Amino acid sequence: ERERYGGIVFKKGVSKSEEDDLVEAIPLIKGKILTENNKTNSLNIIRDFYRKKGHLRAEVRFEERTSDLIDNTKFIDAYVTKV
């Protein structure tokens, strides 16, 4: 069975208000299956968010980590570098 989405955590480069806006904009739903397409769409949403704010070359990187508490669940750690 494929892994399920547990949540996204912004580790670097994102203010609290930006994080709130991004979490709302990202179409991932906790408990749903996590696919490559979901991750790619989420990366593009974050990049577009920063392009609209004037950070034309913002770099976004995802790292996945497996949950120790919930079986078959992955969390995404997002790192944003505003260039």
Side-chain angles (χ1 to χ4, degrees):
E1 184 176 316
R2 291 183 148 187
E3 287 142 346
R4 303 216 172 255
Y5 172 70
I8 188 165
V9 178
F10 291 92
K11 293 287 193 174
K12 176 185 161 197
V14 179
S15 71
K16 180 64 178 156
S17 62
E18 291 172 339
E19 181 177 347
D20 292 341
D21 292 341
L22 286 168
V23 168
E24 280 186 33
I26 293 172
L28 296 174
I29 299 171
K30 290 181 183 180
K32 296 289 183 180
I33 293 175
L34 185 62
T35 65
E36 285 300 317
N37 190 38
N38 295 108
K39 291 184 277 187
T40 301
N41 287 341
S42 298
L43 277 170
N44 290 333
I45 287 169
I46 295 170
R47 286 186 187 120
D48 289 344
F49 177 85
Y50 283 106
R51 282 188 189 116
K52 289 177 185 174
K53 290 189 162 278
H55 300 283
L56 302 179
R57 297 184 333 158
E59 297 173 8
V60 182
R61 179 174 52 92
F62 282 172
E63 288 183 7
E64 294 179 28
R65 68 184 153 84
T66 305
S67 173
D68 295 333
L69 302 174
I70 306 168
D71 289 337
N72 203 30
T73 301
K74 288 241 178 180
F75 287 87
I76 296 175
D77 294 334
Y79 297 85
V80 177
T81 305
K82 302 172 194 172
V83 181

